[in-house]
Amino acid sequence: MRLRTVTARPALAVFVAATMAVGALPAAASADTSLLAAPPTVNVADVNAHLQQLQTFATSNGGNRATGTSGHTATTTYLQQKLQAAGFTVTVQTCTTCSGSAKNIIADWPGGDTSKTYMFGAHSDSVSAGPGINDDGSGSATLLAAALTLAANNPTMTNHLRFGWWAGEEQGLIGSKFYVNSLTSAQKTAIKAYGTFDMVASTNGGYFVTGTDAIAVKLREYFTSINVPTETSTECCSDDGSFRNAGIPSSINSTGASYTKTSAQVTKWGGTAGQAYDSCYHKACDSYPSNVNSTSLGRWANAEEYALWTLTTGTPTANDFSVSLSPSAGSVNPGSSATATVNTATTAGSAQTVTLTSSGAPAGVSVSFSPATVTSGGSSTMTVATTTAAAPGSYTITVTGAGSVTHSASYTLTVTGTGGCTGAGQKLGNPGFESGTTPWTATSGVIGANTGDGSPRTGTRDAYLDGYGSSHTDTLSQSVTLPSGCSSYALSFYLKISTAETTTTSQYDKLTVQVGTTTLQVFSNLNAGGYTLRSYDLAAFAGQTVTLKFTGVEDASLKTSFVIDDTALTVS
């Protein structure tokens, strides 16, 4: 938070005077427990864990997380990774006017009406004097915990939810100004309210909600429900100013900075009169855990959750699910069988039990499921078996999933004639990449005499995807025709995955293997290891010309490489 004398900015003074008229809510306000029924609870231990991480970043990088420093870069990377892993769409915006071209982190939760966006923000930087745990690690950490709590509960969204963590606040609100200036008029109009949370764990603090926007209204509503009175504040300024100056309804929410607590405020909130709300404001002692009031930290985290939840989520809907097949077609000789995966997904409400059945199979064809009952979100293997008496032709088999509702998907079965297998053999051209690039189509530099992490398994050449350590996509593909009437269609290749990622839970870099529009498997940095044989049954594509495609996608940091060698597609 950056403090200035209120009278130095006439426009701001008018705003403060106007908001003071809102007044503090009385301590005796009755609690409405129904307010707290819908939103989940944010665990203050999770908030403290984030603060401990921010302290570690500061300690390891010169004692602070100031914009333009390694400590700030570590902070923004941590935010990005946590949010992406939870399912947020994260935009890393380089603020070219900030010191060191620092990053703003903007995170959108999928769903909701984007023309009605509610935005919550905090600044991710500290001053150079210290680690900035209250200013503004507390705002950053409570918002991160609130965002992750919402993601874990995955509610139905009616309005759109967005978060922002700003660089350069301590240098003059530079990051938030840069972001707001990048918005079109329509994008600014779509933001119905912005609330900034700057210093919400002051050890001698109060509860200040300064603004009249929708977020401020919800925050006051929450604090009233737990019998905690609020006041407006004359301390300023923070990133809410960047939004307010653009005509976006905004508020600043805090526990106070360097101003002193009055006796009347001690009566409301406790603490010590005549001392600063935060005696470590902009000092080296703004550290974890000594400069953190865990009570106010937890209250603010849950006030934020209440506000964002009640402003953006919808009424719970009835339980529902979907059913799909992969692949959705197969070709067999009489007397043989084909398999497909029946995938289910919970599309609304809670997971439910789904019973699988089939219809439409002709004489000589049977269909079984393993298992025959799944919980929505799970999958089952469907086996379509034929006898030698099955008549050649094309048939539609309907797979039905029955739960609280019923959904179905179609599978096309082709029973081939008795002409036998013609055109058997290995079908991929240049399978070991030893004779140039033809007939493969690949991103420039993928196929070659690679070394290091990209060293081939055999021979002198292979296909080396990604490994840049920055946002990058590589592709490798080949079109191939599979004859019909054969009993075996086996795709195989050796895959080596090398990574600099240290996570054991998050898929940051991925390799997708596809045949046509069907995804066979997705590998990631979590599958790192030496050359391993990967094999797939492509009988479902008999008689078709399909494209075998590998797509490697790498995120913005820490490299992962996917090396492919000795491919084969053998038909017999």
Side-chain angles (χ1 to χ4, degrees):
M1 178 181 285
R2 291 177 57 81
L3 294 185
R4 298 175 186 157
T5 303
V6 175
T7 55
R9 293 283 297 275
L12 184 58
V14 171
F15 167 74
V16 171
T19 55
M20 286 295 288
V22 175
L25 296 178
S30 61
D32 179 1
T33 56
S34 66
L35 295 176
L36 306 180
T41 300
V42 180
N43 189 340
V44 71
D46 295 337
V47 186
N48 279 312
H50 297 316
L51 288 178
Q52 176 63 76
Q53 190 63 64
L54 299 185
Q55 178 65 55
T56 299
F57 294 151
T59 301
S60 301
N61 293 280
N64 66 74
R65 300 179 301 104
T67 296
T69 68
S70 297
H72 184 252
T73 299
T75 299
T76 56
T77 299
Y78 178 77
L79 292 167
Q80 176 190 356
Q81 292 177 347
K82 287 289 186 182
L83 293 160
Q84 286 178 331
F88 282 84
T89 300
V90 179
T91 301
V92 180
Q93 182 188 54
T94 299
C95 172
T96 57
T97 57
C98 293
S99 174
S101 295
K103 309 297 183 183
N104 287 329
I105 303 296
I106 299 98
D108 288 81
W109 182 248
D113 184 354
T114 54
S115 69
K116 298 177 181 177
T117 296
Y118 292 87
M119 191 166 184
F120 295 70
H123 68 86
S124 57
D125 64 330
S126 73
V127 293
S128 59
I133 293 303
N134 186 33
D135 186 15
D136 184 29
S138 61
S140 293
T142 52
L143 282 185
L144 178 58
L148 299 183
T149 299
L150 175 127
N153 286 271
N154 194 21
T156 300
M157 305 300 290
T158 51
N159 297 321
H160 190 66
L161 176 62
R162 181 178 300 152
F163 295 86
W165 284 266
W166 313 118
E169 190 273 353
E170 299 290 6
Q171 285 73 49
L173 320 183
I174 301 174
S176 57
K177 289 178 184 177
F178 185 88
Y179 170 77
V180 172
N181 288 340
S182 73
L183 301 177
T184 65
S185 295
Q187 289 170 330
K188 294 174 185 175
T189 300
I191 301 175
K192 299 308 177 185
Y194 170 79
T196 208
F197 298 84
D198 195 345
M199 303 180 64
V200 294
S202 302
T203 54
N204 191 41
Y207 295 84
F208 299 102
V209 180
T210 306
T212 57
D213 62 289
I215 292 174
V217 169
K218 289 296 182 182
L219 293 171
R220 292 189 180 97
E221 196 171 85
Y222 174 83
F223 284 119
T224 298
S225 77
I226 62 171
N227 285 323
V228 173
T230 60
E231 289 183 6
T232 56
S233 176
T234 56
E235 283 190 297
C236 75
C237 302
S238 192
D239 297 300
D240 57 305
S242 300
F243 288 81
R244 187 179 303 107
N245 291 340
I248 299 170
S250 305
S251 58
I252 177 172
N253 309 287
S254 74
T255 50
S258 64
Y259 284 25
T260 55
K261 179 174 278 189
T262 67
S263 298
Q265 290 171 334
V266 170
T267 300
K268 290 180 181 179
W269 302 316
T272 304
Q275 293 187 10
Y277 301 125
D278 182 357
S279 60
C280 287
Y281 174 69
H282 283 191
K283 297 177 182 178
C285 59
D286 186 7
S287 60
Y288 181 85
S290 60
N291 200 45
V292 173
N293 182 329
S294 287
T295 298
S296 62
L297 190 73
R299 286 173 174 173
W300 275 104
N302 282 285
E304 292 159 18
E305 187 73 26
Y306 175 79
L308 65 87
W309 187 278
T310 55
L311 287 170
T312 63
T313 65
T315 303
T317 57
N319 296 341
D320 202 355
F321 66 94
S322 63
V323 175
S324 62
L325 295 169
S326 177
S328 59
S331 178
V332 298
N333 288 323
S336 61
S337 62
T339 61
T341 300
V342 184
N343 296 302
T344 65
T346 302
T347 58
S350 302
Q352 60 184 287
T353 299
V354 178
T355 301
L356 301 173
T357 57
S358 70
S359 59
V365 177
S366 63
V367 180
S368 62
F369 301 94
S370 180
T373 299
V374 299
T375 300
S376 57
S379 63
S380 174
T381 299
M382 178 180 73
T383 301
V384 182
T386 66
T387 68
T388 55
S394 181
Y395 306 95
T396 298
I397 297 173
T398 300
V399 176
T400 300
S404 60
V405 292
T406 299
H407 294 288
S408 61
S410 296
Y411 180 83
T412 301
L413 172 68
T414 300
V415 180
T416 61
T418 57
C421 178
T422 59
Q426 202 290 111
K427 296 300 175 182
L428 290 178
N430 189 15
F433 310 101
E434 297 299 323
S435 56
T437 58
T438 305
W440 295 97
T441 299
T443 305
S444 177
V446 166
I447 297 175
N450 298 300
T451 59
D453 289 342
S455 297
R457 175 180 176 269
T458 62
T460 60
R461 295 166 61 86
D462 57 17
Y464 182 17
L465 287 76
D466 295 326
Y468 288 85
S470 59
S471 296
H472 188 80
T473 299
D474 278 333
T475 59
L476 171 72
S477 64
Q478 184 178 144
S479 179
V480 60
T481 299
L482 301 179
S484 60
C486 301
S487 59
S488 176
Y489 299 81
L491 168 67
S492 65
F493 57 88
Y494 282 86
L495 174 63
K496 179 173 70 172
I497 303 175
S498 302
T499 186
E501 300 283 2
T502 58
T503 179
T504 59
T505 58
S506 300
Q507 296 180 330
Y508 293 125
D509 311 312
K510 299 179 182 180
L511 175 74
T512 302
V513 185
Q514 293 175 285
V515 173
T517 59
T518 299
T519 297
L520 300 179
Q521 192 166 353
V522 177
F523 299 93
S524 76
N525 49 281
L526 299 182
N527 305 116
Y531 278 111
T532 303
L533 179 63
R534 308 291 181 173
S535 301
Y536 306 89
D537 180 6
L538 301 191
F541 303 95
Q544 302 179 37
T545 297
V546 294
T547 298
L548 169 64
K549 185 175 183 181
F550 302 87
T551 303
V553 178
E554 197 172 10
D555 72 356
S557 64
L558 298 179
K559 71 178 183 178
T560 300
S561 60
F562 304 95
V563 188
I564 299 164
D565 203 1
D566 299 328
T567 67
L569 206 174
T570 305
V571 178
S572 60

